[in-house]
Amino acid sequence: MDIRTITPDYAVTPQIEPEDIPEIKEAGFTTVICNRPDGEVPMELHGEVLKAAVEAAGLTFVDNPLVHAELSMGHVERQAAAQKEATGPVLAYCASGTRSSILWSLSQAGHRTTEEILSATGKAGYELSHLAPQLDALAKK
């Protein structure tokens, strides 16, 4: 696993596997968010399989799959709600961590400055400067 911290309460990683769950729990995460659609992975990595493993470990699992072309405010709102409802640090995953970083970024618009958001994701290795206009627009709403 390649867990990359965005904030003390939110991190992202590429695709997880059931055998990663003990390490995720040991790292202190309480919620795992899946941002990867089942159609991108083999059956053994489908959301329901990982949900069972995550919940068996006593953690919360949230399914919020995202196909890039279908990004909507509903995805952003579900990501934000999962973060708000979490009882501790959140780990979100997708293919590379990029979608999970984008959803976090958009969910933070209006709560953090665009510069703070892009700096946090940049330090984690996700260059998302192309989101600046969207972040600025969302912050004004």
Side-chain angles (χ1 to χ4, degrees), residues 7-8 12 19 62 68 70 72 79 87 89 99 111 131:
T7 71
V12 301
E19 55 268 18
V62 176
H68 285 290
E70 297 175 4
S72 70
Q79 200 85 358
T87 59
R99 283 177 272 194
H111 303 285
L131 291 180

Side-chain angles (χ1 to χ4, degrees), residues 112-120 135-136:
R112 299 172 192 264
T113 67
T114 295
E115 294 76 21
E116 290 170 332
I117 294 167
L118 296 178
S119 174
L135 295 170
D136 290 340

Side-chain angles (χ1 to χ4, degrees), residues 58-109:
L59 307 176
T60 300
F61 184 88
V62 176
D63 198 25
N64 189 22
L66 171 65
V67 175
H68 285 290
E70 297 175 4
L71 174 62
S72 70
M73 285 309 294
H75 289 102
V76 175
E77 291 163 1
R78 282 189 294 279
Q79 200 85 358
Q83 293 170 68
K84 185 177 181 180
E85 294 167 8
T87 59
V90 172
L91 178 65
Y93 74 90
C94 56
S96 67
T98 301
R99 283 177 272 194
S100 299
S101 296
I102 289 170
L103 286 168
W104 175 84
S105 297
L106 295 171
S107 76
Q108 296 302 299

Side-chain angles (χ1 to χ4, degrees), residues 26-47:
E26 186 176 307
F29 294 101
T30 62
T31 299
V32 175
I33 303 175
C34 171
N35 295 133
R36 192 157 193 204
D38 286 343
E40 295 182 3
V41 295
M43 190 77 108
E44 62 269 15
L45 298 178
H46 277 196

Side-chain angles (χ1 to χ4, degrees), residues 1 3 20-30 57 59:
M1 263 188 321
I3 296 175
D20 296 327
I21 307 303
E23 182 181 342
I24 291 167
K25 184 173 182 170
E26 186 176 307
F29 294 101
T30 62
L59 307 176

